[in-house]
Each structure stands twice: as C-alpha cells, then as structure tokens.
Amino acid sequence: DYMFHMGLQMRVYPSDRQKAMIRMNGGASRFVYNRLVAVHNEMFRLRKSASLSPTDTERLAYLASAYGDAKSIKNAIPFLWDCDSDMVLHAIMNYKRAWNQFRKVKGTSIPTFHKFDNTYCYQTSNHYAGKKLNTIPHVVGLYEGSVRFTDRNHLVLPMLGTIRMKGSRKLIDALLNRVAETRIGTVAIRMDTCGDCYISLALASDEPFHTAYVRTGRAAGMDLNLSNFLMDSDGCVIESPRYLKQAEKKLRKAQRVLSRKYEAASRDGRDYRVCRNYQEARLRLAKCHRHVANQRLDFIRCTADKEVKSHDYLFAEDLKVRNLKKNHKLAKAISDSGWRTFLTELQNTASKRGKTCLLVDPRNTTQTCSSCGCVMSDDNRIVLGQEEWACPICGTHHVRDHNAAINIKNAGLALLQESGIAIDIR
C-alpha cells in the first residue's frame, strides 16, 4: 500500500488496428456489464418461483454457476477469450461497485443497462513480473510491467502494444524524473464521441506528487450563485463565463443539421448508423459539445487553483445539484455553471496542496443576518432575485451573496473548532 495517489490523463494516438481493438474491448466491457444486469434481474425473478418449479430451480443454479466469476463468464461467452482478460475483471468490479453505491448512497438507483452512445471505455491492470524492480533508480516502476513508458512520447499497453501519447510536458517530465518508487495501477482507455482516445493512469507512491502551496493565513467562504459564478467573504466576485449560453446558436444549428440527416436517411430506408452524412453531422455536433465542456472544465480548474493558492481555509455550501436541477426554469443555468464539478475540484486541489476545504450545510445561509444571527422567516424571508436587504433586528444593510459567503465562512470555522483542528488565521 502506498500513501499518495494521483491520476494522470493523456491523449493517445492509436493506429486503425489499435482503434479497432479499443472498440472491441470497450464494447465487450459494456456487454459484460449489461449481461450481469440481465442475469441478476432474471435470478431475482426466478427466486420467487424456484420453490414451486423444478425448471426454474435448474435455471437459477445454471445462472449462479455460469456467471459466478470471470472464468465462468468467459466460458459462457467464448468471444471474451479474445479480449483483454483484465477488462472482464474490471467490468465485474464496476458492477459490484454499483451495487455498493446503491446500498450506501441515498438516492442511488440499482445498476441498470449501459446504453450504446458512440463512446468506448474499458479498464485494465498493470502487472509486474516480480517483486523486485530491475530498472534505473529514477524511473522505478514506470518502465516495467505490462503498462510501461518507453520514453516521454510512447507507452506500452496490454494487447494494444506501443502507442503514441501526448500530455502535459510539465507533469510527464516531473513523473519520469521522480526518484521515489512510483507504480502504475489501474489503466482506463477511453474513446469519446469524436473518435479521440485518452488514457488515464492511476499512480501510487510513498512520496507526494505535488508540493504544498505557501501558507497565507487567510480563510474565505464562497457562495455559488447564478447572477455570477461565486462571491467570497472578502467581497471578491468571479463572473460566470456561461459557455453553454455563448455556444447555443452554434449548437442549435448543428443539431438541426443532424436531425435533417436522420430524417433523410429514414425516408430513403438507410441505416443512419452507417450513413456518411449523418456521421459527419454527428461529429460536428459532438465537437461543439466537447469544446463547451473543455472550456468550462478549464475555467473551473483555474478558479479552484487560484482560490486554493490565495487561502488556507476554504468553505462552500454542500449543494445537492441534482435536486436543484429539478427546477426546470433554472436547470440549464445550473448545469452550465458546473457547481458540483467546481466543489469536487476545489476539494481535490486543496488536499494535494496542503490546504483545507470544507463543505457546510447550506441551510439558512442566505436567510441569516451575519451581524446579529437573526433568521429571516415568513414575510421577511429573502426571495429569489432580491439582491439587497436590511436586517429588521439590527438594521444592517446586506448584499445577499456577500452575506451568505460570510455565514458560510463562520459556519466552516465553527466546524473546524468543534473538531479540534488548530486554526492559524492572521
């Protein structure tokens, strides 16, 4: 077991043969997962009648033995012997993980079928030949095993062989120049809707992958809202770029073109999945959506890194975005903001840079006066769209978002004090 872990994603450029193998393994992974869903659904129904029907009892026993482990599944589905063996194991693990998620996380549904959506993804594992790594000290663990670097531009993968890659020069050079032993664990290979391929490496080591940021002695509460992206307790406002809204016209046009290609293929009796015009239109639309997603992710990562670098203690509301999106008038704007992605990125960045990020209960953060603690209710309750208000008890004038950010900061500091963590704020 290693103390520190890191994920590294890189773009890869496979040949046509390698792309065909990625599609084969990705499709097989989805097939195994869906077959497990179907088998367990059938077993659930058979258990109700097995005591009354010998045929159902025999069928139940066969399914339990044929889909009990990876080897049994391969024997039941022979074409899986031609695929990556670790892919089957990871598909089974993902299915079991989905059931564990259902049992532990409230609001999570049982595992359901994975729909075909022009994306292919599968996971494999790195295997080392022995316990002792026979290699140059500064590349320990990275140049051995079934997944290994040959140089900074090429990687060897099971079944695929040597594949060309491209990623952050800074991260890759820092990784290959590490002195501490660094091992590659699980590897995920993904092909997106545009046909571009990516690889994600799970890295582990006893030495940290990132250096801690300099301590600033500052703390900040952040209020995420729709009028802007966020306002912190210091009064700093970060405007929301609204990338989806900017690209709506282009997306609408690309979607109309795709719909016309589909209707034309249907009128001519052609299968749209092999229609060249449809596939070209689908790629144009997919690239537009990917561009918007990449813009939003880059903005979120830069904002999170800036906030972590500027503050030692960061507090934000633990928003249930899935519930908030049930308001159909605000669902698009909430999705475009990427609140949950930002909160996850903020926590991850803070943990690897030696800072503290805490999510607090969002209840009454907007309705509470930060000066006297009075909670607005009934006729005095702050409604959506009311940007400024005055406390009826102490008369303090508040800007809605700034007041909420101060309350979030105070709640976060109180939680840290209750947990006994020493707070160093200048």
Side-chain angles (χ1 to χ4, degrees):
D1 294 337
Y2 293 89
M3 293 181 59
F4 299 95
H5 300 268
M6 185 186 77
L8 178 64
Q9 179 175 281
M10 298 173 292
R11 173 83 179 273
V12 294
Y13 300 88
S15 63
D16 291 341
R17 180 191 68 83
Q18 291 171 331
K19 280 190 174 182
M21 297 183 72
I22 291 174
R23 292 191 185 96
M24 178 186 71
N25 284 288
S29 177
R30 180 171 56 245
F31 178 84
V32 171
Y33 188 96
N34 288 343
R35 177 59 66 91
L36 290 173
V37 173
V39 165
H40 285 92
N41 287 345
E42 183 179 356
M43 292 176 66
F44 176 77
R45 293 191 297 269
L46 290 174
R47 288 192 184 98
K48 298 180 179 180
S49 57
S51 59
L52 303 176
S53 172
T55 304
D56 290 351
T57 304
E58 293 177 2
R59 176 64 177 173
L60 187 61
Y62 166 74
L63 292 177
S65 61
Y67 295 92
D69 53 25
K71 187 175 181 180
S72 301
I73 292 175
K74 288 183 181 180
N75 290 330
I77 311 170
F79 77 86
L80 292 177
W81 288 105
D82 298 329
C83 300
D84 191 322
S85 58
D86 289 324
M87 174 273 299
V88 180
L89 292 173
H90 281 283
I92 298 172
M93 290 171 57
N94 290 337
Y95 179 73
K96 293 180 179 179
R97 191 177 295 113
W99 272 110
N100 291 334
Q101 189 83 350
F102 165 70
R103 296 185 182 99
K104 294 180 180 180
V105 181
K106 183 179 180 181
T108 307
S109 63
I110 64 173
T112 56
F113 293 106
H114 284 175
K115 184 177 65 173
F116 175 79
D117 58 355
N118 292 301
T119 61
Y120 300 88
C121 181
Y122 73 97
Q123 294 170 297
T124 186
S125 298
N126 184 24
H127 298 281
Y128 290 99
K131 294 183 179 179
K132 185 177 180 180
L133 302 177
N134 182 20
T135 184
I136 306 172
H138 71 278
V139 290
V140 170
L142 299 176
Y143 276 51
E144 306 90 355
S146 56
V147 179
R148 60 187 181 274
F149 288 87
T150 56
D151 54 52
R152 70 172 316 279
N153 294 316
H154 294 87
L155 193 72
V156 176
L157 296 173
M159 289 195 71
L160 300 181
T162 303
I163 190 168
R164 186 165 63 92
M165 66 180 187
K166 183 179 181 182
S168 169
R169 181 178 296 273
K170 180 180 178 181
L171 288 178
I172 294 176
D173 288 344
L175 176 65
L176 298 182
N177 292 328
R178 286 173 61 86
V179 177
E181 178 180 326
T182 304
R183 292 214 176 193
I184 302 173
T186 303
V187 181
I189 299 98
R190 178 174 62 89
M191 180 184 293
D192 63 11
T193 54
C194 302
D196 296 333
C197 299
Y198 302 86
I199 180 172
S200 299
L201 305 178
L203 305 171
S205 178
D206 285 329
E207 297 294 330
F209 291 96
H210 302 90
T211 57
Y213 282 150
V214 178
R215 306 291 292 184
T216 61
R218 299 175 59 194
M222 293 178 291
D223 177 60
L224 304 177
N225 51 82
L226 292 178
S227 57
N228 46 62
F229 184 70
L230 69 84
M231 175 182 285
D232 62 22
S233 54
D234 298 328
C236 178
V237 177
I238 298 178
E239 296 295 335
S240 177
R242 295 185 173 88
Y243 293 115
L244 180 61
K245 187 174 182 179
Q246 294 177 15
E248 270 188 337
K249 185 176 181 180
K250 188 175 182 179
L251 287 170
R252 196 180 299 118
K253 181 178 179 180
Q255 184 64 61
R256 283 200 301 266
V257 172
L258 181 65
S259 298
R260 287 198 294 267
K261 301 300 181 185
Y262 176 80
E263 292 173 357
S266 300
R267 285 197 305 268
D268 298 340
R270 295 175 294 165
D271 185 358
Y272 71 93
R273 290 171 292 186
V274 295
C275 179
R276 182 175 177 179
N277 291 339
Y278 177 87
Q279 292 301 325
E280 289 177 352
R282 182 188 66 79
L283 281 176
R284 283 194 293 270
L285 178 61
K287 288 180 179 179
C288 291
H289 279 293
R290 186 179 65 177
H291 180 65
V292 172
N294 288 342
Q295 284 181 307
R296 184 186 300 115
L297 184 59
D298 181 70
F299 167 76
I300 285 173
R301 286 178 173 173
C302 291
T303 304
D305 187 71
K306 177 183 176 183
E307 293 295 325
V308 170
K309 187 178 292 185
S310 304
H311 303 89
D312 291 347
Y313 304 95
L314 292 163
F315 309 105
E317 294 175 307
D318 188 10
L319 299 175
K320 306 299 181 185
V321 177
R322 181 180 296 180
N323 295 335
L324 294 175
K325 289 196 292 186
K326 292 179 181 179
N327 184 340
H328 298 294
K329 294 182 180 180
L330 303 176
K332 183 187 289 187
I334 293 173
S335 299
D336 193 15
S337 298
W339 288 343
R340 177 48 58 179
T341 305
F342 173 73
L343 294 176
T344 303
E345 188 67 27
L346 193 68
Q347 288 181 303
N348 293 339
T349 306
S351 63
K352 68 187 181 184
R353 296 298 184 178
K355 303 297 182 72
T356 301
C357 179
L358 190 64
L359 302 184
V360 303
D361 187 357
R363 184 177 182 181
N364 288 333
T365 53
T366 302
Q367 305 296 331
T368 303
C369 173
S370 58
S371 298
C372 65
C374 175
V375 180
M376 302 297 106
S377 60
D378 300 331
D379 295 339
N380 294 326
R381 188 169 183 82
I382 312 303
V383 297
L384 191 64
Q386 185 177 347
E387 298 298 331
E388 298 183 10
W389 58 283
C391 178
I393 304 299
C394 64
T396 305
H397 180 267
H398 293 293
V399 176
R400 174 195 179 106
D401 300 332
H402 185 228
N403 175 71
I406 295 175
N407 288 329
I408 293 168
K409 176 183 176 180
N410 294 335
L413 292 175
L415 286 176
L416 289 180
Q417 291 176 348
E418 291 176 3
S419 60
I421 299 177
I423 304 173
D424 179 19
I425 300 179
R426 298 167 192 169

